[in-house]
Amino acid sequence: GQQVMQIPQYQHVQEGEDFTTYCNSSTTLSNIQWYKQRPGGHPVFLIQLVKSGEVKKQKRLTFQFGEAKKNSSLHITATQTTDVGTYFCAGPVETSYDKVIFGPGTSLSVIP
Amino acid sequence: EAQVTQNPRYLITVTGKKLTVTCSQNMNHEYMSWYRQDPGLGLRQIYYSMNVEVTDKGDVPEGYKVSRKEKRNFPLILESPSPNQTSLYFCASSLWGLNNSPLHFGNGTRLTVT
């Protein structure tokens, strides 16, 4: 069945270093969304990408959607302790746009 | 304040004792869904609903029931809970579904079944 993978599973960085997480789907996605979950919290929507090759920026965060719409990345420049959390990508299931599949997430730790 | 409200936040129960986790949203969203979150597995969809009286199975529906009698409410029912249903559960809603709008999540319900 359709799978969404994320790498790495965990990432520990020194504050000020950059961070990137990659999301890869086994099938083409009509769109991809990114969520952040702080420790002990609930997932919070960050952004949605729809177009092939799309790049969006939110302050220090840069999101990309691959040309084939099967992969995406989230890059954080100069991490801060407020960036700590787990980042999930999510997309609609190919056969049913109402079903959602989430990646397993990348857990980011920032060492001050 | 626009929000998704889940209750209870924590629940400890015994095998076989029926329970209901409530979920309510005040944003007039059409789409509502339930997820369970387990370490290393991320969020897996249990059930979803596109509208009142319309519900469909997600990836892991076994052992769960839902109902959508009103637009704002989407309770999750465990008729006979088992220990493998110990998990963190999230309810979420969106205006039209993932294709067009973001998911808004509740604060979660941590369920332990002994």
Side-chain angles (χ1 to χ4, degrees):
Chain A
Q2 183 177 355
Q3 292 186 348
V4 175
M5 304 303 296
Q6 277 185 258
I7 54 171
Q9 187 176 1
Y10 303 97
Q11 185 79 59
H12 305 277
V13 300
Q14 202 76 36
E15 188 172 18
E17 291 182 338
D18 292 355
F19 160 77
T20 304
T21 174
Y22 300 91
C23 175
N24 297 293
S25 170
S26 58
T27 59
T28 302
L29 298 170
S30 61
N31 70 80
I32 195 161
Q33 295 184 353
W34 284 92
Y35 292 81
K36 176 185 178 181
Q37 184 177 20
R38 293 182 188 275
H42 59 274
V44 174
F45 174 77
L46 293 176
I47 208 159
Q48 174 171 296
L49 304 170
V50 179
K51 300 176 184 176
S52 170
E54 188 170 13
V55 178
K56 286 188 176 180
K57 291 190 176 183
Q58 287 180 350
K59 297 182 180 178
R60 295 178 293 104
L61 278 61
T62 302
F63 303 84
Q64 282 191 301
F65 201 9
E67 293 290 341
K69 300 184 78 173
K70 294 178 72 173
N71 55 70
S72 180
S73 64
L74 158 60
H75 179 82
I76 302 178
T77 303
T79 54
Q80 300 175 358
T81 54
T82 53
D83 296 325
V84 166
T86 301
Y87 293 85
F88 295 97
C89 60
V93 170
E94 185 182 37
T95 53
S96 170
Y97 287 154
D98 303 326
K99 291 179 73 169
V100 177
I101 184 166
F102 277 81
T106 294
S107 178
L108 172 64
S109 300
V110 179
I111 306 163
Chain B
E1 180 189 352
Q3 59 185 359
V4 178
T5 304
Q6 279 180 244
N7 280 297
R9 288 295 306 275
Y10 301 92
L11 180 57
I12 301 174
T13 190
V14 296
T15 298
K17 186 176 181 181
K18 181 180 178 180
L19 66 91
T20 300
V21 184
T22 64
C23 175
S24 179
Q25 51 93 5
N26 63 359
M27 296 169 279
N28 202 36
H29 283 171
E30 299 287 339
Y31 183 93
M32 297 186 75
S33 56
W34 277 101
Y35 304 84
R36 60 178 290 172
Q37 185 173 32
D38 302 289
L41 297 177
L43 291 147
R44 292 180 293 167
Q45 193 173 36
I46 303 171
Y47 269 96
Y48 62 96
S49 169
M50 281 301 297
N51 212 329
V52 174
E53 301 294 0
V54 178
T55 63
D56 282 294
K57 296 178 180 178
D59 277 338
V60 288
E62 295 78 20
Y64 305 95
K65 285 175 58 178
V66 292
S67 69
R68 188 92 182 272
K69 296 177 182 175
E70 306 165 286
K71 196 172 188 178
R72 62 183 292 126
N73 295 322
F74 191 46
L76 179 69
I77 303 155
L78 284 72
E79 294 272 2
S80 183
S82 62
N84 64 12
Q85 291 179 299
T86 292
S87 187
L88 178 58
Y89 291 87
F90 288 102
C91 178
S93 72
S94 73
L95 190 57
W96 296 116
L98 196 69
N99 222 21
N100 295 300
S101 53
L103 291 165
H104 299 259
F105 285 83
N107 287 331
T109 296
R110 187 166 292 281
L111 171 66
T112 302
V113 183
T114 59

